[in-house]
Amino acid sequence: MKRSQTSFWQQIKSSRLIVKLSFIVIIIWVFTSLAAPLLATHDPSKTNPGEIFIRPFAKDSKGHLLGTDEVGRDVFSRLVYGSRISLLVAVIAGIISLLIGTSLGLIAGYFGGRVDSIIMRIVDVMLAFPFMFMALVFMVALGSGLRNIVLVLGITGWVSYTRTIRAEVLSIRRREYVISAEVIGCSSGRVIFRHILPNVIDHAIVIATMNMANTILSEASLTFLGMGLPVSIPSWGQMIATGRTYTYTAGWLTIIPGIAIFLVTLSINFIGDWLRDIRDPRLRGSQ
Amino acid sequence: MRKMKWLLALLLVVIMVLGSLGCSSSKSPDADPSKADGSQASESKPEPKTDPSVVTIAASAEPEGMDPQIAGAAVGGNLSYNLYDYLVRVAADGRELIPCLATSWEQVDERTWRFTLREGVEFTNGEPFNADAVAYTLKRMFEPDTGRTTYNLKVVSEWKVVDEYKIDIISDKPCNDMPIRLYDLAILPPKYTEEVGPDKFGTDPIGCGPYKLGEWVTNSHIELLANENYWDGAPKTDRIVFRTIPEASTRLAELLAGNIDIVTDLSPDYIETVDSNEGYKATTALSKRVAYVGIDVLNEDSPKELADKRVRQALNYAIDRDTIIKNIYGGHALKLATIWRQDYVGYSDELSGGDAGYPYDPNKAKELLKEAGYENGFAVNLYYCPNTFLKCEEATLAIAGYLEDIGLTINLNKMEYNAYRAAFINGQEMHQGKGLFSWNWGAKPQTPDGHLAGALETGGITSYFTNKELDDLLAKLRAVDVDGRDAVAVDIQKFLFDECPYIYLWQQIDVYGINEKNIDWTPRLDQYILGTEINVK
């Protein structure tokens, strides 16, 4: 295993420029999320009808770096607090999907037979549903709110894990070391967790990275459609939803959060691609 | 492969930058892309001009039907006021009563009004108009299946046909303003209406108004044709087309492309854009809609603090209405002291005008809260739906901010239109909403009774307030003789100002976009667009 000998840091150093840039974007994103209260210049929810529609970088901006929105809230502070929400949603929903999807994939792949059929039919049903429709139905049933949107995105996003993990498990299932572990009397749990899981977890992490970008977009879309986060929580989707009315007169209200979503999801995707490439020995030669 | 990705990323960035440039430059009038579109389109697309007596109107929604006793709201009204005729009509500013199918009227005794009807009028299917038609219309209105009794007509208890062109309308309690209450009673042809039943009537209506129905293409347009036999002479405009365009920016674009003559429900933000295009004008008119924040004092699980008058006054002191109107509405809203509009009986600037209202005084508000024993504020829900009134979301968010300034904790609840209406119209029992709610009421011209009975009197459909003194005053306003109404109206306003059943806001100003090259038109207080009032150039 040559990969484990080169450190992660060296891998990044030898990566392409776009990947390095992506890492920088993600670091900034995570940093602003964690340090939001320190960075924000204003209370993100504080309205001020006396100072509405101040343009970004205006001379008389009154301390509003990126301007203000239709009710005088500071766009920069909302953006900073919004990054916190997107990170929170992406990470927690991602973990939920990862746990559900990976466990079901392991079970389906390892036990096979009827268990496999049932799980895979559920996967087929989930895949046959348009995602947005399913998420909207869940949101209507549960009601909007941060906890609910995390739950909904978590329980609708596990399918891709199950499919990939199951396929991997099927190929590992017949390897000698797995069979020998079974022959010497290891329990199913031990075989799965000690011998199979470590060999498929890489796949799960790559999917998790890719899914993160989708989750951020889904959260923004659901909120944009009015079924996601309540108005009191400053999130990027919310900013675009309320700014949409003013596309003609105050374009920055949609463009600024739009750029934020764009950069973060694009960076995550680049990093996801890169992670997949470096763990695939067939592609490593061309690096 | 890698190169492709780079290119793709680069392409996205370029698109984004271009997009942002396009948006930011639209502020300057010279670079305005919509302007260029507008002038070009009107040159290359002359169709709207070829037939000068066609007027095209764009509204945001389509009526559910054209039965005037079922279809309410402004959209349905737009059609009703063209298709049907009424015993009385009102002038555009809502202040003057104009005889129409009734030529004169008199109060016989305190409960009875006698109307003399116009002779020789026919419905478009040939049925004659007479006292029987009026009697039939009233009867149908009070039948539970077909009728939707308006607040104005709830007072009517019976009617007597005196002769073919005279009818007595009788109320169960003394009533001093029956003629204006008949303002939204569209007269229907008895034989035809009975024959086809309510469903068919909603799609194939017959009336005796200045227009008749041409064609109706669902979710596209409704066409009205001039009624050549209208008693007041055939209208000058031969054809009116009502188009349904839900998206405000699309309505604006269609106007500036020269395809539409009148656009309704524009945001004040678009006034500059419309005016900067030659040949187009944004017109504003006072609307009948009065915006306010309702305060639920009826229910026990609404915050108990709201039951205290001083708290409700504090809420009124907390709001800076002038700043909201100036900035969020660009000056296009009229501050009121309470809910009393200029066209209501008993209005005076000293008592009812905006300057007589609660001033913005957060310190006074905090003092009042302290006096009431809630120095540390309290938590309250604030419900709203973005389309309840013009810029409701922005206004509500601003109000929430002001209320937090005096120490309250506001939980904002944004609701979907139908859910919101279901929760608050006759929702006192279900009680899904507890606390404050952004609402509005569009009472008919001249008479405040629609609003008072519907949203303040004990038991009104959106009344979350109850007070014996107010109920007595309202009964008095209906019963007192005409000369005494002013005095009662003054008492009611003083009561409302002191008790604060609402956080008072403003009267809405509607914004319309007009294609000046084609037409000449002045909007009305009641928001209806009458074909007879449009002059085609």
Side-chain angles (χ1 to χ4, degrees), chain A residues 125-259:
Chain A
V125 170
M126 293 284 281
L127 279 176
F129 267 108
F131 164 76
M132 218 41 193
F133 174 73
M134 192 158 59
L136 278 173
V137 169
F138 274 118
M139 287 312 290
V140 170
L142 292 172
S144 63
L146 186 58
R147 194 194 59 201
N148 289 343
I149 201 166
V150 168
L151 270 180
V152 166
L153 292 176
I155 56 179
T156 48
W158 56 269
V159 181
S160 47
Y161 295 92
T162 308
R163 274 165 63 97
T164 318
I165 299 298
R166 172 183 173 269
E168 282 301 310
V169 173
L170 284 181
S171 77
I172 295 171
R173 183 76 181 82
R174 296 289 155 221
R175 299 264 169 90
E176 290 81 355
Y177 64 91
V178 174
I179 294 169
S180 47
E182 281 175 337
V183 166
I184 62 169
C186 289
S187 68
S188 307
R190 191 181 164 87
V191 175
I192 291 175
F193 288 110
R194 289 297 294 274
H195 301 289
I196 298 180
L197 185 62
N199 289 298
V200 296
I201 198 70
D202 276 8
H203 289 268
I205 286 167
V206 171
I207 301 170
T209 320
M210 304 282 206
N211 264 16
M212 223 167 152
N214 279 338
T215 312
I216 291 171
L217 283 178
S218 305
E219 180 265 311
S221 315
L222 282 173
T223 308
F224 178 80
L225 292 173
M227 291 312 308
L229 295 166
V231 267
S232 46
I233 299 178
S235 79
W236 293 345
Q238 193 76 55
M239 291 173 81
I240 294 182
T242 55
R244 184 179 66 111
T245 327
Y246 303 99
T247 322
Y248 291 120
T249 49
W252 68 90
L253 295 184
T254 41
I255 290 168
I256 291 173
I259 290 176

Side-chain angles (χ1 to χ4, degrees), chain A residues 16 18 46-47 49-50 52 55 70-71 73 231 242 244-249 251 255 259 262 270 273, chain B residues 2 5-6 12 16 20 26-27 247 249 269-270 323 327-328 384 391 393-394 397-398 401-402 405:
Chain A
R16 289 176 295 135
I18 192 76
K46 178 78 192 90
T47 57
I52 62 169
R55 307 185 128 252
E70 71 279 5
V71 284
R73 290 174 296 198
V231 267
T242 55
R244 184 179 66 111
T245 327
Y246 303 99
T247 322
Y248 291 120
T249 49
I255 290 168
I259 290 176
F262 169 76
F270 275 128
D273 278 354
Chain B
R2 200 162 297 146
K5 257 184 213 159
W6 263 105
L12 277 170
M16 219 174 60
S20 68
S26 69
K27 257 261 158 118
E247 191 73 27
S249 47
D269 302 306
Y270 292 144
T323 304
N327 288 310
I328 294 181
Y384 74 98
K391 302 198 104 180
E393 178 153 41
E394 289 85 341
L397 290 173
Y402 283 123
D405 285 348

Side-chain angles (χ1 to χ4, degrees), chain B residues 159-480:
Chain B
W159 47 88
K160 282 187 195 131
V161 175
V162 181
D163 62 34
E164 197 178 355
Y165 294 108
K166 273 201 177 65
I167 188 165
D168 284 350
I169 297 180
I170 301 156
S171 52
D172 56 348
K173 291 199 185 97
C175 174
N176 51 27
D177 58 351
M178 189 59 83
I180 184 68
R181 285 171 185 270
L182 295 173
Y183 155 88
D184 49 9
L185 184 73
I187 307 298
L188 309 175
K191 237 193 268 168
Y192 177 77
T193 314
E194 213 38 46
E195 222 173 82
V196 298
D199 290 343
K200 179 95 187 332
F201 192 83
T203 53
D204 288 305
I206 294 284
C208 58
Y211 286 87
K212 54 191 176 184
L213 183 65
E215 63 167 355
W216 178 3
V217 182
T218 309
N219 283 328
S220 162
H221 66 272
I222 298 172
E223 181 195 55
L224 305 183
L225 303 172
N227 174 7
E228 299 297 331
N229 302 318
Y230 188 54
W231 62 266
D232 201 16
K236 282 167 285 181
T237 309
D238 297 328
R239 225 149 53 88
I240 311 178
V241 180
F242 284 92
R243 282 180 56 187
T244 309
I245 306 176
E247 191 73 27
S249 47
T250 317
R251 284 201 298 279
L252 179 72
E254 284 280 291
L255 173 78
L256 298 181
N259 298 332
I260 283 168
D261 300 311
I262 300 176
V263 171
T264 65
D265 307 322
L266 278 187
S267 157
D269 302 306
Y270 292 144
I271 292 178
E272 223 175 288
T273 317
V274 176
D275 283 341
S276 66
N277 283 271
E278 212 190 312
Y280 299 94
K281 188 179 70 174
T283 309
T284 58
L286 266 183
S287 152
K288 63 183 175 182
R289 307 228 155 256
V290 174
Y292 60 86
V293 176
I295 302 175
D296 183 359
V297 298
L298 274 190
N299 292 294
E300 280 172 7
D301 47 346
S302 183
K304 63 178 189 319
E305 291 87 346
L306 296 174
D308 193 317
K309 183 171 91 179
R310 289 166 298 187
V311 172
R312 298 199 300 269
Q313 287 172 344
L315 301 185
N316 272 286
Y317 276 116
I319 312 296
D320 186 353
R321 298 168 184 80
D322 290 321
T323 304
I324 296 180
I325 291 174
K326 178 171 163 267
N327 288 310
I328 294 181
Y329 289 89
H332 296 285
L334 181 70
K335 191 165 75 155
L336 296 176
T338 55
I339 51 144
W340 222 263
R341 292 187 327 221
Q342 290 170 357
D343 56 306
Y344 287 168
V345 59
Y347 175 94
S348 67
D349 284 342
E350 300 77 51
L351 182 68
S352 339
D355 293 337
Y358 282 92
Y360 173 49
D361 192 344
N363 292 328
K364 175 90 182 165
K366 281 182 204 156
E367 256 170 52
L368 280 167
L369 281 181
K370 193 173 171 184
E371 211 181 295
Y374 306 117
E375 206 180 341
N376 301 322
F378 55 93
V380 60
N381 292 340
L382 173 52
Y383 300 85
Y384 74 98
C385 159
N387 359 29
T388 312
F389 54 83
L390 203 55
K391 302 198 104 180
C392 179
E393 178 153 41
E394 289 85 341
T396 307
L397 290 173
I399 289 165
Y402 283 123
L403 294 179
E404 287 188 331
D405 285 348
I406 63 162
L408 271 58
T409 308
I410 305 291
N411 305 316
L412 278 170
N413 281 280
K414 180 177 180 170
M415 291 174 78
E416 184 269 324
Y417 188 69
N418 289 318
Y420 191 53
R421 287 173 67 88
F424 283 95
I425 295 179
N426 286 325
Q428 290 91 340
E429 298 289 313
M430 295 183 298
H431 203 205
Q432 293 172 340
K434 322 165 195 356
L436 309 173
F437 58 102
S438 293
W439 201 259
N440 84 104
W441 198 281
K444 303 293 188 275
Q446 292 190 10
T447 171
D449 206 26
H451 188 155
L452 299 171
L456 280 166
E457 196 175 21
T458 307
I461 55 166
T462 54
S463 173
Y464 287 79
F465 183 75
T466 178
N467 188 298
K468 180 80 176 61
E469 196 187 334
L470 180 67
D471 293 351
D472 291 344
L473 279 171
L474 297 186
K476 205 169 151 195
L477 181 72
R478 286 165 207 150
V480 75

Side-chain angles (χ1 to χ4, degrees), chain B residues 68 79-89 99-102 118 121-123 129 137 182-188 206-211 227 230-232 530:
Chain B
L79 295 158
S80 296
Y81 277 76
N82 288 301
L83 287 173
Y84 306 101
D85 216 348
Y86 297 76
L87 294 182
V88 297
R89 287 182 183 263
C100 197
L101 288 178
R118 191 174 295 279
V121 177
E122 273 186 1
F123 289 97
F129 164 76
T137 306
L182 295 173
Y183 155 88
D184 49 9
L185 184 73
I187 307 298
L188 309 175
I206 294 284
C208 58
Y211 286 87
N227 174 7
Y230 188 54
W231 62 266
D232 201 16
L530 265 66

